[in-house]
Amino acid sequence: MQTHEIRRRFLDHFVRAGHTEVPSASLILNDPNLLFVNAGMVQFVPYFLGQQTPPFARATSVQKCVRTLDIENVGITTRHNTFFQMAGNFSFGDYFKRDAIKHAWSLLTSSVEDGGYGFDPERLWATAYLDDDEAIDIWKEVAGLPDERIQKRGMADNYWSMGIPGPCGPCSEIYYDRGPEYGKEGGPEADEDRYIEIWNLVFMQNERGLGTSKDNYEILGPLPKQNIDTGMGVERVAFLLQGVDNVYETDLVRPVITKAEELTGRAYGVNQEDNVRFRVIADHARTAAMLIADGVNPGNDGRGYVLRRLLRRIVRSVKLLGADQPTIGELMRVVRDEMSPSYPELATDFQRIENVAVGEETAFRKTLTSGSKLFEGAADTVKAKGGKVIGGSEAFTLHDTYGFPIDLTLEMAAEAGLSVDEDGFRSLMAEQRKRAKDDAQARKHAHADLSVYKELVDRGPTEFTGFAELATEAHVLALISGGVRVPTAGKGEKVDVILDRSPLYAESGGQIGDRGVITAAGLRLHVDDVQKIAKKLWVHKVTVEEGQVTEGDVVLAQVDANWRHGSTQGHSGTHMVHAALRQVLGPNAVQAGSLNKPGYLRFDFNWQGGLSEAARNDIESVTNDAVGADFPVNTFVTDVTKAKQMGALALFGENYGDEVRVVEIGGPFSMELCGGTHVAHSSQIGPVTILGESSVGSGVRRVEAFVGLDSYKYLAKERALLAGVASSLKVPSDEVPARIEQLVERLRVAEKELEKTKAAAVLSSAGTFVDKSERVGAVRLVAAQAPEGVSGNDLRTLALDIRGRFGSDPAVVVLLGNADGKVPFVVATNKGAQDAGIKAGDLVSSFGPSIAGRGGGKADMAQGSGTDPAGIAPGLAALRSRVAEVVGS
Ligand code: SER
């Protein structure tokens, strides 16, 4: 049975049983505790906890999930996928254990003709939590399972939670026995490779608190209702129903392996080492595509790091399989073809997905070979010394210079039977990070202890009034200083202020926080920044300028109107540049990040290679035309599905049913999801001047621009510069280019003339050297210092000219120059001198040591250079003695 069919049957089965079909949530939800969505129940947590009333009592979904904790096991075991699909049915206080077991059993064991999966009931086993005799009885009654195929297991296996505070409960798992050829008898307790877990039924009834492990946490008490949360591993059911050996060989994944075989020229199934590499490629390619589709970009921490690691593991595995060419694009295409029937975004967004993946591949391929060499060198050195540990600094260089994620280095070390000094690596990383982030960290919460805010976050979101007004009366809910609550703060102190409502915009969506003041009688706080915690709590970072602020105060929070005016220009300008970029470069220029503040914006986007000057100019002119068109700016709130239908951009991380705010400028010209503040008409943005375009990492480009008055100021400065140049050149501004061209040409001609004159002067000095020549026996010797600054070809030409002037008289010419602290030299002899036994090359050893010189040549000519001008006189003296010695005078 094909995977798409397995999904379909699951949903149909539960829809028939009164469940509402809910689409998969994005892999990225707004929960800072969760890197990726890793279970079907995640989007329903508020329903379980009783925080929100569910719109349905029963739901069913097939959720995309990513779990990367076991990444090292990928390809080695039969069942570890980093991306997988979890099919689930959920009851929110409706049915409980009995019906959950009934529904699961009937789907698994109904015949294929009747819409089920047709599993042989004799091969199914169940487990239950230690004290859950109720579940065991139901298994016997409903499914007719005998005692010996039901096992009791402890908390680690049969009590489920998300690993963090939230809903939890005992669970009951269903296993399929693959048969004796896959391992020993004895049920899941004995062998989880023979007995494969396919479905987990969680009886969600309690709330858990903090804890240290899977089986050690506090149970806070019962949930408001008894619920059901189940999760069936679609890939596992697929591999069992398709009669293959593991999750990598199912209908949706195996084609990627086939493509990798084609690209590398190696065959799958020949040896275990290669098998693992093929499976890593197939598994990771799929996960990477799904992550990029949901808006993750490769990066150095958090989600971006996971994606980077997956992509780089693919690149390395391909290389180890012997392929030298880029392959990611083709692998991604196979993923798209296989997966898009269930996930159409893979097809509609493919160009962007491919761009991101190929960008990362290109970057890593550049350094993989040299980095691998460095690693091998380091490993050899360690081994030669009998050591076992690769140094932290090597790991750091591999990371910093060659882009090897530390986990890759760890894996390579493990393959070589070594380990890595991780502490050393981490402390070097920490030092580097500290240097880079000292500044930014000072104003943000990125690494602060957030527990102090928890109670405030739970209390509810800060009401943002700033779309409608710039001043709002508010209550001071809390003051936080140095990570702890304080009752009050006085003049000169810096403190975080939490208000119940605020007109000040908190940094998000690329727009930095508003500046302003918070006042009351005798009280004035300057707002230095506004940040958001958990996406909903506004934290005003203030300096107390006057008076004393106390929890409970009633205050007036006011936005600095000038600031706001500038920041709306910056933010609307960013949307305009984005729209213009897509118009000029096409829809593949997808946003990868942005930052805007009064007067300035920068916009990062996925793109290979630099932008031509013409493209840059086009983007600037399309932007300014759209500004000039005075488009109206509309903002409205709608749901994700409608926004998608309208073609709004930046829909990542939104959940089914979420309301989103759309900002539309000039109808189809620009439409984005955005929570920022904007101008009312595009002409209010003012002129937009693009400053430049640069690379910020693999496959990501950045444009920067000034907007509004800052744009004018920048242009005025440029104009003043040009006026200064024009006045120095004494021409009108528009003649500056022609004038400079003329001057450059004149300079070139003059330099050439100068060269010629210099050469003529050098040569004209030849006669003087002849006049000053000495006689040593029958030989005429010129041993002299050349005129200052003469070197290279000039020195050689001069020596040859002097030699020529002696005609057939035996002659030796030795010239030592002195140019920039170096001592170039030339030795030339004519036939007569050579007949007298003097060889140019041999003479070098007489004066060479004095000038710290090196060089040599043949009998007629030798050349070289020394570095010690102080040795010129003694060198020449030694030379004279040598010549005298040779000619015997
Ligand atoms: N939440 C449970 C799991 O992830 C069942 O859906 O296994």
Side-chain angles (χ1 to χ4, degrees):
M1 191 180 297
Q2 303 295 288
T3 305
H4 296 303
E5 175 67 16
I6 293 170
R7 289 167 44 102
R8 195 61 261 153
R9 282 179 185 233
F10 189 97
L11 295 170
D12 288 349
H13 177 79
F14 284 100
V15 167
R16 276 197 302 273
H19 295 65
T20 300
E21 182 179 329
V22 177
S24 170
S26 163
L27 282 165
I28 293 141
L29 283 190
N30 295 339
D31 184 339
N33 288 318
L34 210 59
L35 205 54
F36 301 113
V37 167
N38 59 2
M41 49 76 74
V42 172
Q43 63 169 321
F44 301 123
V45 169
Y47 302 159
F48 290 129
L49 293 176
Q51 291 167 337
Q52 283 177 27
T53 312
F56 27 63
R58 301 173 174 207
T60 180
S61 70
V62 178
Q63 173 66 47
K64 0 181 203 185
C65 296
V66 166
R67 291 185 190 175
T68 52
L69 216 58
D70 291 330
I71 193 169
E72 274 89 16
N73 281 333
V74 168
I76 296 171
T77 70
T78 48
R79 55 182 198 279
H80 279 101
N81 274 143
T82 52
F83 170 86
F84 61 94
Q85 306 171 79
M86 187 180 281
N89 56 294
F90 307 90
S91 151
F92 309 109
D94 190 20
Y95 64 84
F96 200 47
K97 279 185 204 179
R98 176 171 295 273
D99 281 352
I101 291 174
K102 255 191 187 163
H103 287 313
W105 186 257
S106 83
L107 176 61
L108 289 177
T109 57
S110 297
S111 69
V112 173
E113 298 74 51
D114 289 342
Y117 293 142
F119 276 107
D120 175 1
E122 298 302 317
R123 287 188 168 226
L124 295 176
W125 288 59
T127 62
Y129 183 57
L130 296 177
D131 67 1
D132 196 357
D133 292 330
E134 184 192 354
I136 292 176
D137 289 343
I138 300 174
W139 276 117
K140 289 190 200 159
E141 267 175 54
V142 170
L145 277 187
D147 275 327
E148 60 275 17
R149 278 199 277 132
I150 306 174
Q151 293 185 320
K152 283 188 176 180
R153 300 183 87 180
M155 196 160 171
D157 293 300
N158 276 52
Y159 206 96
W160 199 87
S161 80
M162 290 163 73
I164 50 175
C168 67
C171 62
S172 183
E173 295 172 330
I174 307 171
Y175 286 78
Y176 177 82
D177 178 5
R178 292 204 288 163
E181 61 275 33
Y182 289 100
K184 54 179 181 287
E185 300 281 334
E189 264 300 79
D191 189 338
E192 288 207 30
D193 221 27
R194 165 170 169 178
Y195 301 88
I196 298 282
E197 180 200 336
I198 50 179
W199 204 335
N200 185 13
L201 315 181
V202 184
F203 312 126
M204 213 56 116
Q205 59 195 39
N206 288 321
E207 185 173 356
R208 63 160 278 183
L210 291 168
T212 53
S213 65
K214 257 180 155 181
D215 52 359
N216 184 15
Y217 49 80
E218 195 188 356
I219 305 279
L220 302 176
L223 291 172
K225 290 181 175 160
Q226 291 188 318
N227 311 286
I228 287 296
D229 151 35
T230 88
M232 184 193 85
V234 171
E235 279 70 14
R236 292 189 183 182
V237 168
F239 100 75
L240 294 171
L241 290 184
Q242 291 171 14
V244 291
D245 262 353
N246 53 61
V247 290
Y248 314 101
E249 294 174 18
T250 58
D251 58 326
L252 299 189
V253 187
R254 172 66 219 220
V256 189
I257 294 186
T258 308
K259 176 54 80 179
E261 287 182 289
E262 195 183 294
L263 293 168
T264 60
R266 294 231 190 135
Y268 178 68
V270 174
N271 67 61
Q272 175 62 6
E273 203 173 56
D274 282 359
N275 284 354
V276 172
R277 288 173 187 149
F278 277 116
R279 292 171 188 163
V280 163
I281 293 169
D283 171 87
H284 290 8
R286 187 160 84 137
T287 310
M290 297 302 295
L291 287 177
I292 301 171
D294 274 358
V296 182
N297 279 312
N300 281 337
D301 44 32
R303 295 168 178 140
Y305 175 75
V306 173
L307 174 60
R308 168 156 288 164
R309 189 173 168 207
L310 291 166
L311 288 166
R312 295 192 169 197
R313 274 171 65 104
I314 301 177
V315 177
R316 180 163 182 262
S317 302
V318 166
K319 179 121 192 152
L320 290 173
L321 284 172
D324 259 337
Q325 78 281 21
T327 57
I328 290 256
E330 295 209 40
L331 297 170
M332 289 285 151
R333 231 157 284 161
V334 183
V335 172
R336 173 198 62 192
D337 294 346
E338 298 307 327
M339 296 292 288
S340 56
S342 294
Y343 302 97
E345 65 268 28
L346 290 178
T348 49
D349 251 9
F350 183 69
Q351 207 47 65
R352 180 181 61 82
I353 295 170
E354 187 185 19
N355 282 353
V356 171
V358 169
E360 186 65 12
E361 177 185 48
T362 311
F364 190 48
R365 274 169 48 81
K366 283 202 191 117
T367 57
L368 177 61
T369 310
S370 38
S372 301
K373 277 204 194 105
L374 181 123
F375 174 84
E376 279 152 24
D380 289 348
T381 313
V382 168
K383 283 184 181 163
K385 288 189 190 148
K388 285 243 149 264
V389 186
I390 303 251
S393 71
E394 276 84 11
F396 179 74
T397 309
L398 280 169
H399 170 90
D400 203 44
T401 313
Y402 298 94
F404 281 44
I406 177 66
D407 298 285
L408 181 61
T409 307
L410 291 173
E411 283 169 34
M412 290 168 67
E415 283 164 20
L418 299 171
S419 63
V420 177
D421 172 13
E422 271 189 79
D423 287 345
F425 168 79
R426 289 192 202 288
S427 80
L428 288 170
M429 284 294 287
E431 268 173 41
Q432 188 202 44
R433 214 173 287 137
K434 184 161 171 351
R435 280 195 301 273
K437 288 202 178 161
D438 258 357
D439 206 32
Q441 264 181 7
R443 35 175 221 109
K444 305 223 171 163
H445 299 285
H447 299 280
D449 175 9
L450 298 185
S451 53
V452 61
Y453 297 100
K454 166 112 180 47
E455 186 190 330
L456 296 156
V457 171
D458 289 347
R459 190 191 158 278
T462 308
E463 182 192 341
F464 177 60
T465 56
F467 288 137
E469 59 191 31
L470 295 184
T472 298
E473 194 178 273
H475 290 86
V476 175
L477 297 182
L479 299 168
I480 291 156
S481 172
V484 291
R485 286 280 284 266
V486 292
T488 180
K491 193 167 170 174
E493 284 187 61
K494 287 190 180 295
V495 66
D496 291 356
V497 179
I498 314 288
L499 303 175
D500 55 350
R501 33 209 313 256
S502 174
L504 287 115
Y505 186 79
E507 176 166 337
S508 58
Q511 179 180 339
I512 77 169
D514 274 338
R515 304 297 186 260
V517 290
I518 297 174
T519 57
L523 174 73
R524 187 183 163 89
L525 314 175
H526 182 267
V527 181
D528 306 322
D529 191 13
V530 190
Q531 293 286 327
K532 253 188 233 182
I533 296 240
K535 306 235 170 190
K536 49 186 187 176
L537 193 69
W538 265 232
V539 179
H540 304 79
K541 305 194 144 284
V542 311
T543 308
V544 184
E545 289 183 338
E546 238 179 82
Q548 173 117 3
V549 59
T550 306
E551 207 176 290
D553 279 356
V554 175
V555 292
L556 186 68
Q558 284 167 269
V559 182
D560 174 335
N562 263 338
W563 175 282
R564 172 62 74 81
H565 177 64
S567 70
T568 59
Q569 287 181 315
H571 203 153
S572 301
T574 310
H575 285 212
M576 302 301 263
V577 169
H578 185 187
L581 246 148
R582 290 169 67 88
Q583 207 171 89
V584 174
L585 301 177
N588 300 336
V590 169
Q591 175 161 9
S594 70
L595 180 120
N596 58 79
K597 57 185 183 184
Y600 168 88
L601 68 89
R602 69 169 198 233
F603 185 84
D604 298 345
F605 57 103
N606 297 117
W607 194 256
Q608 294 299 325
L611 297 191
S612 65
E613 173 114 15
R616 243 161 44 198
N617 291 342
D618 282 354
I619 292 163
E620 194 175 59
S621 106
V622 170
T623 306
N624 283 292
D625 282 349
V627 166
D630 201 22
F631 289 140
V633 179
N634 289 319
T635 58
F636 54 92
V637 172
T638 183
D639 65 53
V640 178
T641 325
K642 288 219 187 72
K644 270 191 188 163
Q645 279 161 2
M646 284 187 282
L649 298 172
L651 280 156
F652 302 130
E654 305 302 333
N655 199 1
Y656 159 82
D658 277 355
E659 295 223 300
V660 291
R661 181 168 179 263
V662 179
V663 175
E664 178 197 67
I665 309 181
F669 180 70
S670 159
M671 193 186 285
E672 297 194 31
L673 285 202
C674 174
T677 60
H678 287 273
V679 297
H681 281 264
S682 65
S683 62
Q684 291 166 343
I685 296 168
V688 179
T689 310
I690 293 185
L691 302 179
E693 179 266 349
S694 55
S695 158
V696 278
S698 49
V700 181
R701 311 293 302 182
R702 167 172 295 172
V703 287
E704 290 177 277
F706 282 133
V707 283
L709 215 50
D710 286 78
S711 197
Y712 153 73
K713 283 184 193 152
Y714 171 78
L715 293 175
K717 214 171 84 192
E718 296 273 295
R719 188 181 56 191
L721 264 176
L722 180 60
V725 175
S727 125
S728 306
L729 294 175
K730 302 197 175 41
V731 293
S733 301
D734 55 359
E735 285 176 24
V736 164
R739 180 81 180 130
I740 288 181
E741 208 171 297
Q742 211 180 48
L743 286 176
V744 169
E745 178 58 19
R746 270 174 60 182
L747 197 60
R748 205 179 55 78
V749 172
E751 274 172 352
K752 255 194 161 159
E753 278 303 310
L754 194 62
E755 285 281 300
K756 271 196 219 155
T757 317
K758 250 174 66 191
V762 166
L763 291 181
S764 70
S765 65
T768 328
F769 285 101
V770 174
D771 294 346
K772 283 196 218 147
S773 67
E774 311 159 35
R775 217 169 239 298
V776 184
V779 168
R780 307 276 298 272
L781 171 65
V782 174
Q785 200 171 340
E788 185 91 19
V790 178
S791 65
N793 278 343
D794 289 348
L795 192 66
R796 189 182 145 102
T797 313
L798 179 59
L800 295 181
D801 194 31
I802 299 170
R803 186 181 68 180
R805 292 184 186 222
F806 287 107
S808 56
D809 283 357
V812 176
V813 180
V814 181
L815 294 180
L816 273 62
N818 185 355
D820 301 326
K822 293 232 163 64
V823 189
F825 61 80
V826 175
V827 183
T829 58
N830 61 10
K831 178 140 190 330
Q834 288 159 34
D835 290 346
I838 303 176
K839 294 199 174 90
D842 292 349
L843 290 184
V844 174
S845 62
S846 63
F847 62 87
S850 304
I851 57 166
R854 288 153 55 113
K858 301 199 186 123
D860 63 334
M861 159 74 69
Q863 260 179 295
S865 182
T867 53
D868 186 5
I872 293 178
L876 289 176
L879 166 80
R880 282 188 192 96
S881 317
R882 170 73 66 84
V883 175
E885 221 174 87
V886 179
V887 300
S889 74

